[in-house]
Amino acid sequence: MLPFREQGGEADGAYFADGVTEDVISELGRFSSLLVLSWSAVAPYRDDATALDELSRELGVRYVVSGTIRRSGEALRVSVQLTDAARGVLLWSERYDVAMADVFDVQDAITLQVVGELAGRVSRVEEARV
């Protein structure tokens, strides 16, 4: 899981993006069938444009989750992608549009949606691969 990138230039955008990233990492880490790297392992890649195949080798991972967060007034758009990093193939992507109310409520809602989809998706991809 790479750090989500804030694309709106908002002062508190990086704070929100980091919070979503940490929450998703924590929730994905609850699945014993998934190897999830810690925040400290992926934080150095926050502003890095490393190629996916190189990233796969450096981190020793097959799949990479990445995302962006954009804001327009009180509207928030979160885009998430699951990529087979070694092959550079996009396996899944989704866009979530939410109204910005309470920061923690929004982070929780996004985290639950992303984790719910990713945990099942990675399991199905791995089963098909085997």
Side-chain angles (χ1 to χ4, degrees):
M1 167 109 204
L2 292 177
F4 278 57
R5 292 190 175 146
E6 191 279 322
Q7 294 185 321
E10 297 284 330
D12 62 344
Y15 166 81
F16 183 81
D18 289 349
V20 170
T21 303
E22 288 184 66
D23 287 352
V24 172
I25 287 172
S26 294
E27 290 300 314
L28 285 174
R30 295 177 185 220
F31 293 88
S32 61
S33 61
L34 299 177
L35 169 67
V36 181
L37 297 178
S38 69
W39 168 252
S40 61
V42 299
Y45 295 92
R46 177 189 291 143
D47 299 318
D48 197 338
T50 304
L52 283 177
D53 59 338
E54 184 179 336
L55 187 69
S56 175
R57 285 190 303 277
E58 285 179 17
L59 295 175
V61 297
R62 180 175 184 91
Y63 305 107
V64 172
V65 177
S66 59
T68 59
I69 297 175
R70 293 173 282 171
R71 203 182 296 214
S72 176
E74 292 300 310
L76 193 68
R77 173 168 287 168
V78 178
S79 298
V80 184
Q81 301 83 34
L82 171 64
T83 306
D84 182 327
R87 298 183 310 143
V89 175
L90 180 66
L91 301 173
W92 169 80
S93 64
E94 188 65 64
R95 183 179 76 201
Y96 303 98
D97 292 319
V98 295
M100 192 64 179
D102 180 84
V103 171
F104 296 126
D105 288 343
V106 172
Q107 284 180 339
D108 289 347
I110 291 168
T111 298
L112 289 174
Q113 291 175 358
V114 170
V115 170
E117 184 63 38
L118 285 176
R121 178 87 42 188
V122 171
S123 296
R124 288 190 298 276
V125 167
E126 278 299 298
E127 288 171 6
R129 192 173 71 83
V130 171

